Amino acid sequence: MPFAAALRKSLQDRDSEVPAEFKRGDSLEDVLNRHLRTVEEMGGDDVFTCILLLSPDGKRLSVGAAPSIPASYCRAGDSFEIGLSHGSCAAAAYLGRPVYSVDIETDPIWADFRDVALQHGFRSCWSTPIRNSNGAIIGTFAILHRTEGMPTHEEVESIELITDYVADAIMWSRGPRFFARSDRYQSGAPGLKLVSNNQEARDPTARLVALVEKLHAQATDLDHYAERSQSETESQNLREAAELSRELATNIMTLAAVVRSEKPAR
């Protein structure tokens, strides 16, 4: 996926057309599909993109645009709860950070949707939260591949750029009063916020979720190190450690669900 400076120029051109497209009555799906086709044309044959929109209550994702992904796949996941077993997008929305599934076949995050993804030939998925200018998550952007793998540093930067422009289009669809362009294109996007913060430190569930975030981040780092290692034995050990981190994260989320269910109502 050879994203470069040309991608920024193409997205800038697309962004300048968005207000006029909405004014003439184009749907949000139409506008987002044009963004995604721009990305796919520059990304190569093994790039399939989609945008999922977060429901107003922040609990469910639904398909917003997916120009090259089979309709049968989109229907299978048309609307689903965020969480840590419904795929990379559900996890990214739940955790509030990018989730890179190197191998869908073995990643526990894909427990509920693994079969349908593999049936359609998808083997890896890189998902990133889409945020509005206030930092609130409004959806996810994902790139699916028919091969296993992790994004390079350049690809991660390109993905962040894409999500910024997609966020602008989504907010434009809600009306000019919801759109507030930041200076992120000049100074870089602000750091992603974690699900939990210091005010939630006393909440057992929040502490468990924060631990899950750290485990998934550790697993991602281990995957990167495995890819770069010159030793096959070391690479295998790193991959096994990453898998153990993900399994532990899944077990902790099960515990978090128990804690949540036992929490007395106020």
PDB file of all heavy atoms in Angstrom, residues 1-3 7 43 47 100 126 128 141 143 145 149-162:
ATOM      1  N   MET A   1       0.846  -1.179   0.000  1.00  0.00           N
ATOM      2  CA  MET A   1       0.000   0.000   0.000  1.00  0.00           C
ATOM      3  C   MET A   1       0.888   1.238   0.000  1.00  0.00           C
ATOM      4  O   MET A   1       1.161   1.840   1.042  1.00  0.00           O
ATOM      5  CB  MET A   1      -0.895  -0.023   1.247  1.00  0.00           C
ATOM      6  CG  MET A   1      -2.081   0.888   1.162  1.00  0.00           C
ATOM      7  SD  MET A   1      -3.220   0.544   2.519  1.00  0.00           S
ATOM      8  CE  MET A   1      -2.838   1.893   3.582  1.00  0.00           C
ATOM      9  N   PRO A   2       1.398   1.639  -1.126  1.00  0.00           N
ATOM     10  CA  PRO A   2       2.415   2.702  -1.202  1.00  0.00           C
ATOM     11  C   PRO A   2       1.845   4.104  -1.083  1.00  0.00           C
ATOM     12  O   PRO A   2       1.857   4.889  -2.020  1.00  0.00           O
ATOM     13  CB  PRO A   2       3.017   2.467  -2.589  1.00  0.00           C
ATOM     14  CG  PRO A   2       1.880   1.951  -3.380  1.00  0.00           C
ATOM     15  CD  PRO A   2       1.097   1.073  -2.448  1.00  0.00           C
ATOM     16  N   PHE A   3       1.325   4.434   0.116  1.00  0.00           N
ATOM     17  CA  PHE A   3       0.832   5.791   0.342  1.00  0.00           C
ATOM     18  C   PHE A   3       2.011   6.747   0.438  1.00  0.00           C
ATOM     19  O   PHE A   3       3.026   6.439   1.001  1.00  0.00           O
ATOM     20  CB  PHE A   3       0.030   5.853   1.637  1.00  0.00           C
ATOM     21  CG  PHE A   3      -1.277   5.136   1.564  1.00  0.00           C
ATOM     22  CD1 PHE A   3      -1.671   4.299   2.594  1.00  0.00           C
ATOM     23  CD2 PHE A   3      -2.120   5.285   0.476  1.00  0.00           C
ATOM     24  CE1 PHE A   3      -2.879   3.634   2.533  1.00  0.00           C
ATOM     25  CE2 PHE A   3      -3.328   4.629   0.411  1.00  0.00           C
ATOM     26  CZ  PHE A   3      -3.710   3.798   1.436  1.00  0.00           C
ATOM     27  N   LEU A   7      -1.059  10.944  -1.751  1.00  0.00           N
ATOM     28  CA  LEU A   7      -2.320  10.642  -1.071  1.00  0.00           C
ATOM     29  C   LEU A   7      -2.879  11.884  -0.400  1.00  0.00           C
ATOM     30  O   LEU A   7      -4.080  12.164  -0.475  1.00  0.00           O
ATOM     31  CB  LEU A   7      -2.105   9.545  -0.034  1.00  0.00           C
ATOM     32  CG  LEU A   7      -3.326   9.195   0.827  1.00  0.00           C
ATOM     33  CD1 LEU A   7      -4.445   8.641  -0.041  1.00  0.00           C
ATOM     34  CD2 LEU A   7      -2.947   8.195   1.920  1.00  0.00           C
ATOM     35  N   GLY A  43      -3.741   2.461  -3.191  1.00  0.00           N
ATOM     36  CA  GLY A  43      -3.200   1.441  -2.300  1.00  0.00           C
ATOM     37  C   GLY A  43      -2.798   0.144  -2.962  1.00  0.00           C
ATOM     38  O   GLY A  43      -1.972  -0.592  -2.428  1.00  0.00           O
ATOM     39  N   VAL A  47      -6.122  -4.032  -1.187  1.00  0.00           N
ATOM     40  CA  VAL A  47      -6.603  -3.019  -0.238  1.00  0.00           C
ATOM     41  C   VAL A  47      -8.110  -2.910  -0.372  1.00  0.00           C
ATOM     42  O   VAL A  47      -8.637  -2.535  -1.410  1.00  0.00           O
ATOM     43  CB  VAL A  47      -5.947  -1.642  -0.504  1.00  0.00           C
ATOM     44  CG1 VAL A  47      -6.587  -0.577   0.376  1.00  0.00           C
ATOM     45  CG2 VAL A  47      -4.454  -1.713  -0.237  1.00  0.00           C
ATOM     46  N   TYR A 100      -4.752  -3.439  15.167  1.00  0.00           N
ATOM     47  CA  TYR A 100      -4.222  -4.065  13.967  1.00  0.00           C
ATOM     48  C   TYR A 100      -4.243  -5.587  14.146  1.00  0.00           C
ATOM     49  O   TYR A 100      -3.428  -6.133  14.900  1.00  0.00           O
ATOM     50  CB  TYR A 100      -2.793  -3.591  13.687  1.00  0.00           C
ATOM     51  CG  TYR A 100      -2.631  -2.095  13.646  1.00  0.00           C
ATOM     52  CD1 TYR A 100      -1.628  -1.455  14.373  1.00  0.00           C
ATOM     53  CD2 TYR A 100      -3.496  -1.306  12.890  1.00  0.00           C
ATOM     54  CE1 TYR A 100      -1.477  -0.079  14.338  1.00  0.00           C
ATOM     55  CE2 TYR A 100      -3.355   0.072  12.849  1.00  0.00           C
ATOM     56  CZ  TYR A 100      -2.354   0.679  13.575  1.00  0.00           C
ATOM     57  OH  TYR A 100      -2.211   2.044  13.543  1.00  0.00           O
ATOM     58  N   TRP A 126      -6.782  -3.686   9.652  1.00  0.00           N
ATOM     59  CA  TRP A 126      -6.231  -2.575  10.427  1.00  0.00           C
ATOM     60  C   TRP A 126      -7.344  -1.554  10.632  1.00  0.00           C
ATOM     61  O   TRP A 126      -7.793  -0.927   9.679  1.00  0.00           O
ATOM     62  CB  TRP A 126      -5.061  -1.923   9.704  1.00  0.00           C
ATOM     63  CG  TRP A 126      -4.024  -2.889   9.204  1.00  0.00           C
ATOM     64  CD1 TRP A 126      -3.766  -4.146   9.677  1.00  0.00           C
ATOM     65  CD2 TRP A 126      -3.100  -2.665   8.129  1.00  0.00           C
ATOM     66  NE1 TRP A 126      -2.740  -4.717   8.965  1.00  0.00           N
ATOM     67  CE2 TRP A 126      -2.308  -3.845   8.008  1.00  0.00           C
ATOM     68  CE3 TRP A 126      -2.855  -1.600   7.271  1.00  0.00           C
ATOM     69  CZ2 TRP A 126      -1.307  -3.976   7.057  1.00  0.00           C
ATOM     70  CZ3 TRP A 126      -1.854  -1.724   6.311  1.00  0.00           C
ATOM     71  CH2 TRP A 126      -1.084  -2.894   6.223  1.00  0.00           C
ATOM     72  N   THR A 128      -8.989   1.858  12.776  1.00  0.00           N
ATOM     73  CA  THR A 128      -8.641   3.065  13.538  1.00  0.00           C
ATOM     74  C   THR A 128      -9.905   3.865  13.852  1.00  0.00           C
ATOM     75  O   THR A 128     -10.758   4.032  12.976  1.00  0.00           O
ATOM     76  CB  THR A 128      -7.680   3.958  12.732  1.00  0.00           C
ATOM     77  OG1 THR A 128      -6.500   3.219  12.429  1.00  0.00           O
ATOM     78  CG2 THR A 128      -7.300   5.199  13.514  1.00  0.00           C
ATOM     79  N   PHE A 141     -12.438   3.533  10.686  1.00  0.00           N
ATOM     80  CA  PHE A 141     -11.957   3.325   9.320  1.00  0.00           C
ATOM     81  C   PHE A 141     -11.104   2.073   9.327  1.00  0.00           C
ATOM     82  O   PHE A 141     -10.255   1.896  10.213  1.00  0.00           O
ATOM     83  CB  PHE A 141     -11.117   4.512   8.843  1.00  0.00           C
ATOM     84  CG  PHE A 141     -10.299   4.219   7.618  1.00  0.00           C
ATOM     85  CD1 PHE A 141     -10.913   4.063   6.378  1.00  0.00           C
ATOM     86  CD2 PHE A 141      -8.919   4.068   7.700  1.00  0.00           C
ATOM     87  CE1 PHE A 141     -10.159   3.767   5.237  1.00  0.00           C
ATOM     88  CE2 PHE A 141      -8.160   3.787   6.575  1.00  0.00           C
ATOM     89  CZ  PHE A 141      -8.793   3.642   5.335  1.00  0.00           C
ATOM     90  N   ILE A 143      -8.907  -1.032   6.941  1.00  0.00           N
ATOM     91  CA  ILE A 143      -8.333  -1.591   5.720  1.00  0.00           C
ATOM     92  C   ILE A 143      -8.206  -3.094   5.920  1.00  0.00           C
ATOM     93  O   ILE A 143      -7.590  -3.553   6.882  1.00  0.00           O
ATOM     94  CB  ILE A 143      -6.949  -0.999   5.421  1.00  0.00           C
ATOM     95  CG1 ILE A 143      -7.052   0.511   5.195  1.00  0.00           C
ATOM     96  CG2 ILE A 143      -6.333  -1.668   4.197  1.00  0.00           C
ATOM     97  CD1 ILE A 143      -5.706   1.183   4.980  1.00  0.00           C
ATOM     98  N   HIS A 145      -7.086  -6.866   4.225  1.00  0.00           N
ATOM     99  CA  HIS A 145      -6.179  -7.458   3.235  1.00  0.00           C
ATOM    100  C   HIS A 145      -6.469  -8.951   3.118  1.00  0.00           C
ATOM    101  O   HIS A 145      -6.950  -9.577   4.066  1.00  0.00           O
ATOM    102  CB  HIS A 145      -4.720  -7.293   3.664  1.00  0.00           C
ATOM    103  CG  HIS A 145      -4.256  -5.874   3.722  1.00  0.00           C
ATOM    104  ND1 HIS A 145      -3.778  -5.194   2.618  1.00  0.00           N
ATOM    105  CD2 HIS A 145      -4.179  -4.999   4.759  1.00  0.00           C
ATOM    106  CE1 HIS A 145      -3.423  -3.976   2.974  1.00  0.00           C
ATOM    107  NE2 HIS A 145      -3.665  -3.825   4.262  1.00  0.00           N
ATOM    108  N   GLY A 149      -0.421  -9.444   7.893  1.00  0.00           N
ATOM    109  CA  GLY A 149       0.625  -8.428   7.990  1.00  0.00           C
ATOM    110  C   GLY A 149       0.260  -7.256   8.868  1.00  0.00           C
ATOM    111  O   GLY A 149      -0.899  -7.069   9.245  1.00  0.00           O
ATOM    112  N   MET A 150       1.289  -6.490   9.209  1.00  0.00           N
ATOM    113  CA  MET A 150       1.166  -5.280  10.021  1.00  0.00           C
ATOM    114  C   MET A 150       1.427  -4.056   9.156  1.00  0.00           C
ATOM    115  O   MET A 150       2.184  -4.122   8.186  1.00  0.00           O
ATOM    116  CB  MET A 150       2.186  -5.300  11.155  1.00  0.00           C
ATOM    117  CG  MET A 150       1.859  -6.262  12.274  1.00  0.00           C
ATOM    118  SD  MET A 150       0.496  -5.664  13.292  1.00  0.00           S
ATOM    119  CE  MET A 150       1.263  -4.232  14.042  1.00  0.00           C
ATOM    120  N   PRO A 151       0.816  -2.905   9.483  1.00  0.00           N
ATOM    121  CA  PRO A 151       1.119  -1.683   8.732  1.00  0.00           C
ATOM    122  C   PRO A 151       2.518  -1.176   9.045  1.00  0.00           C
ATOM    123  O   PRO A 151       3.006  -1.328  10.162  1.00  0.00           O
ATOM    124  CB  PRO A 151       0.053  -0.699   9.226  1.00  0.00           C
ATOM    125  CG  PRO A 151      -0.291  -1.178  10.603  1.00  0.00           C
ATOM    126  CD  PRO A 151      -0.193  -2.670  10.542  1.00  0.00           C
ATOM    127  N   THR A 152       3.149  -0.587   8.044  1.00  0.00           N
ATOM    128  CA  THR A 152       4.436   0.055   8.262  1.00  0.00           C
ATOM    129  C   THR A 152       4.196   1.411   8.928  1.00  0.00           C
ATOM    130  O   THR A 152       3.062   1.876   9.037  1.00  0.00           O
ATOM    131  CB  THR A 152       5.174   0.279   6.929  1.00  0.00           C
ATOM    132  OG1 THR A 152       4.408   1.203   6.134  1.00  0.00           O
ATOM    133  CG2 THR A 152       5.336  -1.036   6.176  1.00  0.00           C
ATOM    134  N   HIS A 153       5.286   2.046   9.357  1.00  0.00           N
ATOM    135  CA  HIS A 153       5.163   3.368   9.976  1.00  0.00           C
ATOM    136  C   HIS A 153       4.521   4.354   9.010  1.00  0.00           C
ATOM    137  O   HIS A 153       3.653   5.148   9.399  1.00  0.00           O
ATOM    138  CB  HIS A 153       6.544   3.866  10.407  1.00  0.00           C
ATOM    139  CG  HIS A 153       6.531   5.241  11.010  1.00  0.00           C
ATOM    140  ND1 HIS A 153       5.982   5.502  12.251  1.00  0.00           N
ATOM    141  CD2 HIS A 153       6.961   6.446  10.528  1.00  0.00           C
ATOM    142  CE1 HIS A 153       6.087   6.797  12.517  1.00  0.00           C
ATOM    143  NE2 HIS A 153       6.672   7.387  11.489  1.00  0.00           N
ATOM    144  N   GLU A 154       4.926   4.307   7.741  1.00  0.00           N
ATOM    145  CA  GLU A 154       4.359   5.215   6.749  1.00  0.00           C
ATOM    146  C   GLU A 154       2.867   4.944   6.552  1.00  0.00           C
ATOM    147  O   GLU A 154       2.073   5.875   6.397  1.00  0.00           O
ATOM    148  CB  GLU A 154       5.092   5.062   5.415  1.00  0.00           C
ATOM    149  CG  GLU A 154       4.582   6.011   4.322  1.00  0.00           C
ATOM    150  CD  GLU A 154       5.281   5.815   2.996  1.00  0.00           C
ATOM    151  OE1 GLU A 154       5.983   4.798   2.852  1.00  0.00           O
ATOM    152  OE2 GLU A 154       5.119   6.674   2.111  1.00  0.00           O
ATOM    153  N   GLU A 155       2.488   3.676   6.560  1.00  0.00           N
ATOM    154  CA  GLU A 155       1.076   3.328   6.402  1.00  0.00           C
ATOM    155  C   GLU A 155       0.245   3.794   7.592  1.00  0.00           C
ATOM    156  O   GLU A 155      -0.881   4.258   7.426  1.00  0.00           O
ATOM    157  CB  GLU A 155       0.941   1.819   6.200  1.00  0.00           C
ATOM    158  CG  GLU A 155       1.394   1.374   4.818  1.00  0.00           C
ATOM    159  CD  GLU A 155       1.492  -0.129   4.685  1.00  0.00           C
ATOM    160  OE1 GLU A 155       1.644  -0.819   5.727  1.00  0.00           O
ATOM    161  OE2 GLU A 155       1.445  -0.620   3.550  1.00  0.00           O
ATOM    162  N   VAL A 156       0.796   3.691   8.793  1.00  0.00           N
ATOM    163  CA  VAL A 156       0.084   4.175   9.983  1.00  0.00           C
ATOM    164  C   VAL A 156      -0.163   5.677   9.873  1.00  0.00           C
ATOM    165  O   VAL A 156      -1.263   6.160  10.162  1.00  0.00           O
ATOM    166  CB  VAL A 156       0.884   3.849  11.256  1.00  0.00           C
ATOM    167  CG1 VAL A 156       0.279   4.567  12.461  1.00  0.00           C
ATOM    168  CG2 VAL A 156       0.902   2.345  11.508  1.00  0.00           C
ATOM    169  N   GLU A 157       0.848   6.429   9.450  1.00  0.00           N
ATOM    170  CA  GLU A 157       0.682   7.872   9.273  1.00  0.00           C
ATOM    171  C   GLU A 157      -0.365   8.177   8.197  1.00  0.00           C
ATOM    172  O   GLU A 157      -1.163   9.111   8.341  1.00  0.00           O
ATOM    173  CB  GLU A 157       2.022   8.516   8.904  1.00  0.00           C
ATOM    174  CG  GLU A 157       3.037   8.513  10.037  1.00  0.00           C
ATOM    175  CD  GLU A 157       4.327   9.217   9.645  1.00  0.00           C
ATOM    176  OE1 GLU A 157       4.547   9.417   8.429  1.00  0.00           O
ATOM    177  OE2 GLU A 157       5.093   9.585  10.549  1.00  0.00           O
ATOM    178  N   SER A 158      -0.373   7.388   7.135  1.00  0.00           N
ATOM    179  CA  SER A 158      -1.348   7.589   6.063  1.00  0.00           C
ATOM    180  C   SER A 158      -2.764   7.294   6.551  1.00  0.00           C
ATOM    181  O   SER A 158      -3.709   8.003   6.206  1.00  0.00           O
ATOM    182  CB  SER A 158      -1.005   6.701   4.868  1.00  0.00           C
ATOM    183  OG  SER A 158       0.246   7.045   4.323  1.00  0.00           O
ATOM    184  N   ILE A 159      -2.910   6.244   7.359  1.00  0.00           N
ATOM    185  CA  ILE A 159      -4.218   5.892   7.905  1.00  0.00           C
ATOM    186  C   ILE A 159      -4.751   7.020   8.779  1.00  0.00           C
ATOM    187  O   ILE A 159      -5.934   7.364   8.727  1.00  0.00           O
ATOM    188  CB  ILE A 159      -4.130   4.575   8.694  1.00  0.00           C
ATOM    189  CG1 ILE A 159      -3.912   3.402   7.728  1.00  0.00           C
ATOM    190  CG2 ILE A 159      -5.391   4.348   9.531  1.00  0.00           C
ATOM    191  CD1 ILE A 159      -3.549   2.107   8.407  1.00  0.00           C
ATOM    192  N   GLU A 160      -3.891   7.599   9.602  1.00  0.00           N
ATOM    193  CA  GLU A 160      -4.308   8.722  10.442  1.00  0.00           C
ATOM    194  C   GLU A 160      -4.761   9.901   9.594  1.00  0.00           C
ATOM    195  O   GLU A 160      -5.738  10.582   9.925  1.00  0.00           O
ATOM    196  CB  GLU A 160      -3.153   9.130  11.364  1.00  0.00           C
ATOM    197  CG  GLU A 160      -2.817   8.075  12.413  1.00  0.00           C
ATOM    198  CD  GLU A 160      -1.578   8.420  13.215  1.00  0.00           C
ATOM    199  OE1 GLU A 160      -0.890   9.398  12.836  1.00  0.00           O
ATOM    200  OE2 GLU A 160      -1.293   7.725  14.200  1.00  0.00           O
ATOM    201  N   LEU A 161      -4.057  10.132   8.491  1.00  0.00           N
ATOM    202  CA  LEU A 161      -4.440  11.210   7.579  1.00  0.00           C
ATOM    203  C   LEU A 161      -5.815  10.934   6.976  1.00  0.00           C
ATOM    204  O   LEU A 161      -6.671  11.825   6.916  1.00  0.00           O
ATOM    205  CB  LEU A 161      -3.385  11.332   6.473  1.00  0.00           C
ATOM    206  CG  LEU A 161      -3.662  12.351   5.361  1.00  0.00           C
ATOM    207  CD1 LEU A 161      -3.594  13.767   5.913  1.00  0.00           C
ATOM    208  CD2 LEU A 161      -2.655  12.170   4.226  1.00  0.00           C
ATOM    209  N   ILE A 162      -6.036   9.707   6.549  1.00  0.00           N
ATOM    210  CA  ILE A 162      -7.322   9.332   5.950  1.00  0.00           C
ATOM    211  C   ILE A 162      -8.463   9.541   6.928  1.00  0.00           C
ATOM    212  O   ILE A 162      -9.509  10.103   6.583  1.00  0.00           O
ATOM    213  CB  ILE A 162      -7.273   7.866   5.486  1.00  0.00           C
ATOM    214  CG1 ILE A 162      -6.262   7.692   4.355  1.00  0.00           C
ATOM    215  CG2 ILE A 162      -8.662   7.400   5.021  1.00  0.00           C
ATOM    216  CD1 ILE A 162      -5.864   6.247   4.112  1.00  0.00           C
TER     217      ILE A 162
END
